[in-house]
Amino acid sequence: MPTVPSTRITGDVQRMLAGEPISSADFQQQASLMNWLVGQGRQLVPNHRPVGDTGAVTLSAGSYYQYRYWDSPTYNNIDRLWSMTVQGEDYQLTVPGGSAVDSFGVDAPADLYSPSNPMSPSVFLQRRGSYSATAADMTLRIDAGNADCVAHQIGCFELNRSHVETAVANEGVDSNEFGVSQPIQRMDMDNLMTALGSDTTMGERVLLNWAVPYAVNGTTGTAFARAFTGASYNSLFKAGIPMLGRIRYVGDTTKSVQARIFCWVSGGGAATARVNYNGSTGTPSAISWTAGSAQWRTFANFTIDTEDLDVTDGRRGSVWKDFNIEIAVSSGTCYVASAFVAENN
Amino acid sequence: MSGSSIWKGFVRFDEADLDNGESVGALGTRRLLNNLQHQADSFGRVLIAYPPVNDGYGLQRENSTETDLWTVHSVWGPFAMSVIPGKSYKVRFRIYGRLLTAGSLDVYVRLLPNDSSMVAPAGEIPNNNTDGISSAFTVTNTGGAWLTGDTELQLTQGQLHRMWRTRSTLNQVSGDPRGLRSPEAGIGILLGDTAGKLTFELGGLYVAEVYGDAG
């Protein structure tokens, strides 16, 4: 089974000249680069502080709290690492699809503010039992132990692969197919060609995956979620968060993305949500819903700016372009507990 | 640029160019490698997306009054790094914060190795080694705001060796255990010293890999 290089392979395109032979080593470099690309994990949940602009911050002793995230895995992923910083005596974490892990089993600091014991994140493993790139809802659970806790940080990233299969779906490439003095056949190129067809998913970025507890002790609650009332639009976040996408084709300056929020309305009202990117709110059209159970609601696709690879920090025009979501409510109260944004092609 | 996409974008071409019976020429291979290199050039993860919160809901910590002593405000991560041999590692970042009371405090953002417990460094503020550390953000505002200053952190190749660690994984689903050696990092928010204690509230943070081919 091909190994995944631990660092990126850099082949030299300029060596491939019309009329000149292409060496076996050049093809092997392409195969290794392909394995690197399909073996890279995704940052599924960019690290964030799971606290809202308003509402509760403390997780009370003896209670459990559930966070809703949107899962958009890479097909090849097996292991994921959840990084947590929770200030408190003890707590348990239950990763999606897993069993509870006691914080005593890892290095969980008791006091963030002690000079001798600065905040140190703990890491929890989630192992998947099958390959899948299917996006889905996922729930993370924190059980506060004998004392109150504060969750300061949650994040999750896919561990890179050590090896990758050559099955069509896995897209690994066997560099032995490109041996010195050996003929290179069309089928040897298959997975490299498949790779080009996967350009929409390889390296796809999760741009935001933010959540506060939507449920306490198994019951949907309003203690932590951001609450909205009134017919005027109010922002989900105090200020926008920077957001830029990848360049796909030559000359691209915009990137299509998808956004969704986990929300509900109480009091028999109706709510409307819209996206604000760099001060513009017209596209996509706002979405509206009426009272009902908490669920994910999805915006139509919209575009954000791409990075500029000629600018050292990647900011197009060397300015920040920020993203926010705005909510208006006709009557009742709208609650938002999660927000997700990712590239979608 | 050697080692990166020459067209800085994906170039379409017909798969039929590489059908059975067709020769694999330099042009087709050049496009193929360009596209693969562009996939890698444009790779880059958003590592931290902590949207700004109202004043009072951020992460607060006091600094030290001891001369030249950092205070570790908070540590974020760990996360995987994408490293190119021979190049520095770069992230783009933005920090949102304020002081709880009037004053002036230097705040720094630093890339940290994910070794041992990833506890951030303590001790004197180094004067001669700024790799991976931002310039000081001199904070005087008492209302939350994005701070103005550096937008990029870099680690040189010489410093990247501290970022490598080995984790256990499987070679395939339900497969055999394998050691995976890969670079991981965290982000530290550090506070400088002042004559009297001040409290910095971190109200938002954004960090993303800048992979690209911009040098």
Side-chain angles (χ1 to χ4, degrees):
Chain A
M1 194 184 310
T3 57
V4 174
S6 56
T7 57
R8 175 185 160 179
I9 303 299
T10 52
D12 190 350
V13 183
Q14 306 286 16
R15 285 167 51 186
M16 296 173 187
L17 302 172
E20 297 293 327
I22 303 165
S23 74
S24 166
D26 287 327
F27 278 108
Q28 288 179 344
Q29 277 189 332
Q30 294 182 53
S32 292
L33 178 57
M34 179 64 198
N35 292 334
W36 182 85
L37 280 166
V38 299
Q40 293 299 291
R42 182 173 294 163
Q43 184 81 27
L44 295 173
V45 179
N47 290 55
H48 64 100
R49 179 168 159 83
V51 171
D53 271 357
T54 56
V57 174
T58 301
L59 311 182
S60 299
S63 295
Y64 71 89
Y65 299 83
Q66 291 167 292
Y67 302 75
R68 219 58 176 265
Y69 290 100
W70 191 255
D71 186 12
S72 57
T74 59
Y75 180 83
N76 279 324
N77 172 244
I78 298 174
D79 288 337
R80 301 163 168 195
L81 290 181
W82 288 85
S83 58
M84 305 284 301
T85 304
V86 178
Q87 180 188 5
E89 280 188 10
D90 64 319
Y91 67 98
Q92 280 189 336
L93 183 76
T94 306
V95 299
S99 53
V101 177
D102 199 311
S103 62
F104 287 131
V106 294
D107 180 20
D111 184 359
L112 165 65
Y113 297 99
S114 165
S116 61
N117 189 10
M119 182 168 71
S120 178
S122 304
V123 176
F124 298 81
L125 176 71
Q126 177 187 355
R127 177 158 287 169
R128 299 206 302 169
S130 62
Y131 295 122
S132 172
T134 303
D137 185 31
M138 64 176 171
T139 300
L140 182 78
R141 171 174 160 168
I142 298 177
D143 290 53
N146 296 316
D148 292 352
C149 297
V150 176
H152 289 295
Q153 174 191 216
I154 296 176
C156 179
F157 69 94
E158 295 177 333
L159 216 54
N160 295 343
R161 291 289 304 276
S162 63
H163 298 73
V164 64
E165 296 92 321
T166 56
V168 171
N170 297 95
E171 299 183 332
V173 180
D174 184 358
S175 60
N176 291 326
E177 303 289 349
F178 306 108
V180 176
S181 301
Q182 299 299 310
I184 295 171
Q185 303 177 61
R186 171 63 178 87
M187 63 181 181
D188 298 331
M189 307 287 287
D190 274 350
N191 270 9
L192 283 174
M193 297 300 294
T194 306
L196 304 186
S198 299
D199 65 301
T200 56
T201 53
M202 283 194 302
E204 184 178 278
R205 292 177 186 174
V206 175
L207 302 161
L208 175 72
N209 211 350
W210 169 90
V212 296
Y214 77 95
V216 182
N217 294 327
T219 302
T220 301
T222 59
F224 291 84
R226 287 278 286 118
F228 296 85
T229 57
S232 299
Y233 279 105
N234 288 298
S235 297
L236 177 60
F237 307 123
K238 175 69 184 302
I241 185 85
M243 197 168 281
L244 288 171
R246 290 174 302 155
I247 293 174
R248 188 180 180 195
Y249 291 111
V250 176
D252 279 357
T253 57
T254 60
K255 180 74 179 171
S256 178
V257 299
Q258 56 172 306
R260 62 185 71 218
I261 52 177
F262 188 77
C263 55
W264 65 98
V265 174
S266 66
T272 302
R274 68 183 183 188
V275 162
N276 183 328
Y277 183 68
N278 196 33
S280 175
T281 56
T283 306
S285 299
I287 56 172
S288 297
W289 65 96
T290 56
S293 59
Q295 60 185 281
W296 287 99
R297 300 182 192 276
T298 307
F299 293 89
N301 295 342
F302 61 100
T303 58
I304 61 172
D305 280 8
T306 60
E307 287 183 320
D308 186 339
L309 296 181
D310 289 325
V311 177
T312 56
D313 65 8
R315 291 184 300 157
R316 185 162 294 280
S318 296
V319 296
W320 293 106
K321 303 287 179 68
D322 297 334
F323 169 87
N324 212 330
I325 290 173
E326 298 171 350
I327 310 280
V329 185
S330 62
S331 63
T333 304
C334 174
Y335 296 94
V336 180
S338 306
F340 170 84
V341 186
E343 297 176 342
N344 68 347
N345 68 38
Chain B
M1 178 178 293
S2 176
S4 294
S5 156
I6 52 176
W7 290 298
K8 297 184 177 179
F10 213 74
V11 178
R12 294 177 176 89
F13 69 100
D14 190 347
E15 281 193 40
D17 290 352
L18 296 177
D19 267 350
N20 286 331
E22 299 291 333
S23 59
V24 179
L27 185 57
T29 311
R30 194 176 166 101
R31 286 173 176 158
L32 189 65
L33 183 52
N34 171 79
N35 289 358
L36 284 168
Q37 292 292 344
H38 176 67
Q39 291 281 45
D41 287 346
S42 61
F43 190 88
R45 305 172 179 95
V46 176
L47 306 173
I48 300 173
Y50 162 23
V53 293
N54 278 332
D55 294 350
Y57 283 83
L59 189 53
Q60 300 175 2
R61 193 168 189 207
E62 279 187 338
N63 73 326
S64 169
T65 55
E66 192 170 329
T67 303
D68 285 346
L69 188 72
W70 307 93
T71 299
V72 180
H73 175 280
S74 53
V75 177
W76 297 79
F79 13 73
M81 306 167 73
S82 302
V83 173
I84 309 176
K87 282 192 170 185
S88 58
Y89 176 77
K90 294 194 301 185
V91 296
R92 172 177 63 245
F93 77 97
R94 197 178 191 193
I95 178 172
Y96 185 102
R98 67 171 186 134
L99 296 181
L100 265 58
T101 55
S104 178
L105 175 65
D106 286 345
V107 176
Y108 304 82
V109 182
R110 185 177 193 182
L111 273 163
L112 302 168
N114 181 23
D115 54 10
S116 61
S117 60
M118 210 175 76
V119 171
E124 291 186 359
I125 299 172
N127 296 316
N128 58 354
N129 179 4
T130 57
D131 287 331
I133 308 173
S134 72
S135 302
F137 288 85
T138 302
V139 183
T140 58
N141 53 297
T142 54
W146 287 114
L147 305 180
T148 303
D150 286 354
T151 58
E152 183 183 327
L153 294 175
Q154 283 197 48
L155 283 176
T156 64
Q157 279 289 303
Q159 292 183 314
L160 280 171
H161 73 278
R162 295 185 60 206
M163 303 293 172
W164 290 85
R165 67 170 300 150
T166 301
R167 291 193 184 276
S168 177
T169 187
L170 303 179
N171 65 342
Q172 59 186 318
V173 164
S174 305
D176 299 323
R178 291 286 187 276
L180 173 70
R181 190 158 166 73
S182 59
E184 291 181 13
I187 291 286
I189 306 299
L190 309 173
L191 310 180
D193 61 276
T194 51
K197 281 184 179 296
L198 291 168
T199 299
F200 177 70
E201 178 174 319
L202 180 71
L205 187 61
Y206 165 82
V207 180
E209 290 185 311
V210 183
Y211 206 49
D213 60 353

